[in-house]
Amino acid sequence: MSPSSSTFLLLLLLFFISLLSSSSFSFSANVDNDHTFKTYIVKVHDDAKPSIFPTHKHWYESSLPSSTSLIHTYDTVFRGFSARLTTSEAQQLKTLPHVIALIPEQVRHLHTTRSPQFLGLKTSDSAGLLKESDFGSDLVIAVIDTGIWPERQSFNDRDLGPVPSKWKGQCVTTEDFPSSSCNRKIIGARFFCQGYESTNGKMNETSEFRSPRDSDGHGTHTASIAAGRYVFPASTLGYARGVAAGMAPKARLSVYKVCWNSGCYDSDILAAFDSAVSDGVDVVSFSVGGGVVPYYLDAIAIGAFGASDHGVFVSAAAGNGGPGELTVTNVAPWVTSVGAGTIDRDFPANVHLGNGKIVPGVSVYGGPGLGGPEKKYSLVYGGSEEGDGYSASLCLEGSLDPKFAEGKIVLCDRGINSRATKGEVVMKAGGIGMILANGVFDGEGLVADCHLLPATAVGASGGDEIRKYISDSEKAKSPAIATIVFKGTRVNVRPAPVVASFSARGPNPETPEILKPDMIAPGLNILAAWPDRIGPSGIPSDKRKTEFTILSGTSMACPHVSGLAALLKAAHPEWSPAAIRSALMTTAYTVDNRGETMIDESTGNTSTVLDFGAGHVHPQKAMDPGLIYDITSYDYVNFLCNLNYTVTNIQVITRRSVDCKGARRAGHVGNLNYPSLSAVFQQCGEDKMSTHFIRTVTNVGDPNSIYKIVIRPPSGMQVTVQPETLVFRRVGQKLNFLVRVEAMAVKLSPGSSSVKSGSIMWTDGKHNVTSPLVVTMQQPL
């Protein structure tokens, strides 16, 4: 034992002798004028519990004021506890020798079928990913979300074998979630509300379930995308008729409910990660997110690292903050961040104006129509001269005068309240229909909703055209008239996929040297299971019932990748989480069904790697990627060292005592063995700049194979790779290569940047192993 370790243990022993010599531990008696409480997640030393305490829980409680109780204790992905403290109590807790760090809690929010067929997963294939993986039958996917509605047919356990013998989880039963709610499909179900209730008080059990049962719908939807069984017929309100199926139809589900009416609380999320890994899951699907903070302050990043360290693949929604730059969330390199694309199906519902023009729109309204294109109705806009101003333009609650709206189609601007709620506002005011217009920021991206009244969504340019028509009609003293014509379901749409307008974009705001999102998957207008208690629009006044509904969001894209990861893990049990992500990234595609680079839905222009990462997932190719870029937990530690994190910061994330000297000698942040490459140059007066990347690939293809490099450099830059040929003699063999990037300074205004992209590809004639290469030039202020 080193002298420093001996000194530390001696100090710790003296501290606890003094602790026990008093009748009870108390915080200092100085007057605490701060009565504002906040929840903190407290990281403690892994091996510091004195033997005098029977459990860690007793030890943690001894550290707190007598009036404070623990919210959660953690011991699998993280060592510590959470508690609600005042600022001064938190400061005093920080001084205790066994406490490493306090992490303030954040509140996160949800990132809210034909997709298996679109992805090339067909049950009739005699060989392929579904067949090779036995549909994922022994793999367990954890869905950390809003719970589940277990009675849905998507979760039946017909023809499933016994629960995997490795499983250590449990089905937490309550009055509204009896033991019959679990079966050989849903093999685990838990709920975590202590963090939520410590901030908000006792939940209102008339509006949400104190159980794993879903009172929102989001968790049921995402669980069935990841692992729903085959259900036929499936549709919502007559739209998207066909077979509904998840990505891994035989995979088992374990549900961890952490999201409640006011959000998803970090202390509960970390408890869910802790339980999921302890229970024995293989994949975590996490369609929740929030602000980006350093990894040592991010409970999601910390929980996900612990999962990855235990061999669990973590897929997370990239966020719905697009199409703006720097909006991507869940950006830690041990998390697979998934953006959203369209599939080749849509639901046209076009606006026919009185001047003969037709504005394209989309909707999944399923009630009586408006009588065909010839029957027109008065068309009004709350933001016009005759309207009631800003609130009415957005169709906010109580903003529409019935005299203004009754019997008319109302144009509503998108924003503030939900899209379906705007339709409810129009209905209450006597309106007969609604047109929902995107703002400039939303661009041309359209989301189809299950509206309560005849309604459609149009893009920003369509909204401008309709507003101009209304304004011109007012000036001409002639009434504006229109109707909405619903066309049902259209398939084989071109182009597809398209990057969804809402899908969050890079660059990575925390670590620009790691390209995020990693990839995109289907996330627009996805049909999946839905609870009984909630109408398909998701608003309280909607009393319609449907077994499935259509939702959009990176929340829907994430479970596609979670299910695919389960299939890949089943087909390749020896693959690490990083290997699975590598296979998905290096085989992803960037061209649409017209053979051209995918477009950006918000603008109609060509999209970039900052929009789609490595590209759109291609499951069949991912099963046989040829080469993989593997990453160990120690590689991630070196990455954190190269971020110049302190030893304490790194310990909070990794539960490891580290020495960063070797890592910092070894290179820079971009040298993490990631399947994509991102260089960031600060233009500080130099004309020529260069950097290098060291990468290691592992052969998972043919034993004797020769790969040659194909370089597509970013425009105006020089890229070299050494060696240019990799010769493999066996499966599992690892070979290194070096990529050098040279760039000339470009003219930029202070504080601005320029992004250019290219790629490198290793090919043996059978496998094409592609990595995007992004170069960012920044001009300092």
Side-chain angles (χ1 to χ4, degrees):
M1 185 180 291
S2 68
S4 59
S5 301
S6 304
T7 305
F8 172 76
L9 288 173
L10 181 61
L11 287 169
L12 192 64
L13 186 60
L14 289 169
F15 168 77
F16 278 102
I17 289 170
S18 67
L19 176 67
L20 291 169
S21 64
S22 59
S23 57
S24 67
F25 178 72
S26 65
F27 277 60
S28 66
N30 63 314
V31 177
D32 181 7
N33 292 318
D34 175 16
H35 297 295
T36 305
F37 284 84
K38 184 173 178 61
T39 299
Y40 292 89
I41 295 167
V42 183
K43 169 68 177 170
V44 303
H45 283 282
D46 267 62
D47 53 357
K49 183 182 80 67
S51 58
I52 50 172
F53 294 105
T55 66
H56 279 85
K57 184 173 184 286
H58 287 90
W59 179 38
Y60 300 151
E61 286 172 339
S62 75
S63 308
L64 296 171
S66 56
S67 59
T68 303
S69 56
L70 296 175
I71 296 172
H72 291 291
T73 61
Y74 314 102
D75 59 15
T76 302
V77 300
F78 183 81
R79 172 72 75 201
F81 61 93
S82 49
R84 201 154 172 77
L85 305 165
T86 65
T87 303
S88 59
E89 287 170 348
Q91 290 297 331
Q92 292 194 40
L93 191 61
K94 250 186 208 175
T95 66
L96 301 183
H98 59 289
V99 172
I100 298 175
L102 271 68
I103 304 163
E105 178 168 71
Q106 291 189 71
V107 183
R108 316 293 183 140
H109 298 283
L110 301 165
H111 281 156
T112 189
T113 202
R114 201 173 136 75
S115 50
Q117 187 177 336
F118 181 70
L119 287 168
L121 294 172
K122 300 188 181 76
T123 54
S124 56
D125 287 353
S126 59
L129 184 53
L130 282 173
K131 183 85 172 171
E132 291 288 327
S133 64
D134 189 25
F135 300 77
S137 63
D138 277 337
L139 276 288
V140 185
I141 300 174
V143 180
I144 301 179
D145 211 297
T146 66
I148 197 164
W149 197 269
E151 292 79 11
R152 283 294 170 242
Q153 277 305 301
S154 294
F155 309 124
N156 78 70
D157 66 355
R158 280 193 303 274
D159 303 323
L160 286 181
V163 172
S165 57
K166 65 171 185 177
W167 183 243
K168 301 191 291 288
Q170 66 180 104
C171 184
V172 175
T173 59
T174 64
E175 192 174 330
D176 59 58
F177 200 87
S179 58
S180 59
S181 302
C182 290
N183 54 17
R184 294 191 308 277
K185 178 67 175 177
I186 302 173
I187 64 172
R190 300 178 187 266
F191 64 100
F192 302 87
C193 58
Q194 295 94 316
Y196 165 56
E197 291 189 317
S198 72
T199 297
N200 296 279
K202 199 169 186 298
M203 76 173 69
N204 177 1
E205 293 186 46
T206 63
S207 64
E208 51 188 336
F209 301 107
R210 183 188 292 279
S211 78
R213 186 170 289 280
D214 186 2
S215 57
D216 177 273
H218 189 274
T220 301
H221 203 268
T222 56
S224 70
I225 293 170
R229 306 301 305 275
Y230 290 97
V231 180
F232 177 84
S235 68
T236 183
L237 308 179
Y239 288 84
R241 291 183 188 276
V243 178
M247 295 296 98
K250 284 189 177 179
R252 315 310 173 104
L253 285 165
S254 187
V255 176
Y256 301 83
K257 181 177 175 180
V258 299
C259 294
W260 307 88
N261 283 352
S262 68
C264 324
Y265 289 75
D266 272 358
S267 54
D268 294 333
I269 291 169
L270 191 57
F273 269 103
D274 210 56
S275 288
V277 174
S278 177
D279 289 346
V281 305
D282 300 285
V283 172
V284 169
S285 190
F286 188 69
S287 291
V288 177
V292 175
V293 294
Y295 305 127
Y296 57 86
L297 293 174
D298 185 346
I300 295 170
I302 292 166
F305 183 93
S308 172
D309 196 34
H310 283 80
V312 176
F313 179 92
V314 180
S315 171
N320 295 344
E325 293 182 354
L326 294 162
T327 49
V328 64
T329 65
N330 292 323
V331 296
W334 46 85
V335 172
T336 298
S337 312
V338 188
T342 66
I343 61 174
D344 59 347
R345 176 186 69 196
D346 68 6
F347 310 102
N350 301 332
V351 179
H352 291 237
L353 299 174
N355 60 8
K357 291 189 175 175
I358 298 174
V359 178
V362 298
S363 177
V364 283
Y365 167 71
L370 292 173
E374 304 309 318
K375 186 171 173 59
K376 303 282 197 301
Y377 300 83
S378 291
L379 173 65
V380 293
Y381 173 52
S384 68
E385 287 182 20
E386 294 180 5
D388 290 330
Y390 179 69
S391 293
S393 73
L394 290 161
C395 300
L396 301 182
E397 189 67 45
S399 67
L400 293 177
D401 185 340
K403 291 176 188 170
F404 175 73
E406 193 165 0
K408 299 168 185 172
I409 293 174
V410 180
L411 175 68
C412 300
D413 292 337
R414 198 167 152 185
I416 311 291
N417 56 345
S418 78
R419 300 183 299 271
T421 299
K422 292 177 190 290
E424 183 183 36
V425 170
V426 171
M427 267 185 82
K428 284 179 181 173
I432 200 167
M434 176 184 71
I435 301 166
L436 183 63
N438 281 357
V440 175
F441 183 76
D442 302 306
E444 301 307 310
L446 299 180
V447 177
D449 293 301
C450 299
H451 292 287
L452 287 163
L453 81 170
T456 190
V458 300
S461 59
D464 289 343
E465 187 168 339
I466 296 168
R467 284 186 211 94
K468 184 177 184 303
Y469 167 61
I470 293 171
S471 175
D472 290 347
S473 298
E474 285 175 357
K475 288 173 188 170
K477 307 292 185 197
S478 67
I481 56 172
T483 192
I484 304 167
V485 177
F486 299 94
K487 301 264 194 175
T489 304
R490 183 174 62 162
V491 295
N492 301 316
V493 171
R494 293 161 73 93
V498 169
V499 179
S501 178
F502 56 78
S503 186
R505 316 298 166 97
N508 181 335
E510 186 59 26
T511 317
E513 295 85 358
I514 302 295
L515 178 64
K516 292 285 181 174
D518 291 307
M519 64 196 72
I520 64 169
L524 186 76
N525 301 332
I526 303 299
L527 181 78
W530 193 244
D532 253 347
R533 180 168 149 166
I534 305 144
S537 67
I539 57 178
S541 64
D542 187 357
K543 302 305 179 190
R544 297 172 295 180
K545 289 189 175 184
T546 178
E547 181 149 346
F548 297 89
T549 199
I550 288 168
L551 293 181
S552 298
T554 55
S555 278
M556 284 66 248
C558 164
H560 278 89
V561 169
S562 308
L564 294 177
L567 294 180
L568 289 170
K569 182 75 173 173
H572 301 281
E574 73 284 2
W575 281 9
S576 69
I580 292 169
R581 175 179 53 208
S582 174
L584 289 165
M585 287 177 69
T586 61
T587 59
Y589 60 90
T590 59
V591 296
D592 59 28
N593 55 8
R594 304 168 305 166
E596 298 175 28
T597 301
M598 289 185 288
I599 64 170
D600 180 344
E601 187 189 32
S602 68
T603 62
N605 299 329
T606 301
S607 56
T608 72
V609 291
L610 296 183
D611 306 325
F612 54 66
H616 192 286
V617 292
H618 193 313
Q620 299 291 14
K621 284 193 175 178
M623 189 177 75
D624 181 21
L627 305 175
I628 53 166
Y629 293 81
D630 210 352
I631 304 176
T632 68
S633 293
Y634 290 102
D635 295 326
Y636 289 127
V637 169
N638 289 343
F639 161 81
L640 295 169
C641 287
N642 283 316
L643 280 177
N644 292 321
Y645 278 16
T646 67
V647 169
T648 299
N649 294 157
I650 296 170
Q651 203 171 355
V652 169
I653 301 164
T654 67
R655 296 182 66 169
R656 286 170 167 79
S657 297
V658 298
D659 179 355
C660 282
K661 288 174 191 165
R664 288 177 183 146
R665 278 198 304 271
H668 55 85
V669 174
N671 271 345
L672 180 68
N673 200 39
Y674 217 70
S676 55
L677 303 98
S678 175
V680 181
F681 292 120
Q682 297 287 341
Q683 297 192 158
C684 300
E686 298 174 16
D687 290 335
K688 193 174 183 181
M689 291 149 287
S690 69
T691 190
H692 70 278
F693 302 93
I694 299 167
R695 291 290 188 269
T696 304
V697 283
T698 306
N699 182 24
V700 295
D702 303 320
N704 291 295
S705 49
I706 299 172
Y707 284 82
K708 295 186 181 300
I709 193 67
V710 177
I711 302 170
R712 190 174 65 83
S715 174
M717 297 179 193
Q718 190 173 345
V719 178
T720 57
V721 177
Q722 292 294 330
E724 296 180 349
T725 303
L726 297 175
V727 180
F728 292 95
R729 300 295 179 212
R730 57 185 173 80
V731 173
Q733 184 180 354
K734 296 177 185 289
L735 291 175
N736 300 331
F737 64 93
L738 184 141
V739 181
R740 185 167 294 282
V741 179
E742 295 181 352
M744 301 298 293
V746 294
K747 191 167 184 180
L748 293 170
S749 57
S752 65
S753 62
S754 162
V755 180
K756 292 185 176 176
S757 65
S759 65
I760 65 165
M761 179 179 76
W762 290 104
T763 180
D764 66 348
K766 176 182 174 184
H767 306 95
N768 293 326
V769 187
T770 307
S771 292
L773 169 60
V774 189
V775 179
T776 305
M777 314 290 284
Q778 294 181 341
Q779 187 67 41
L781 284 167

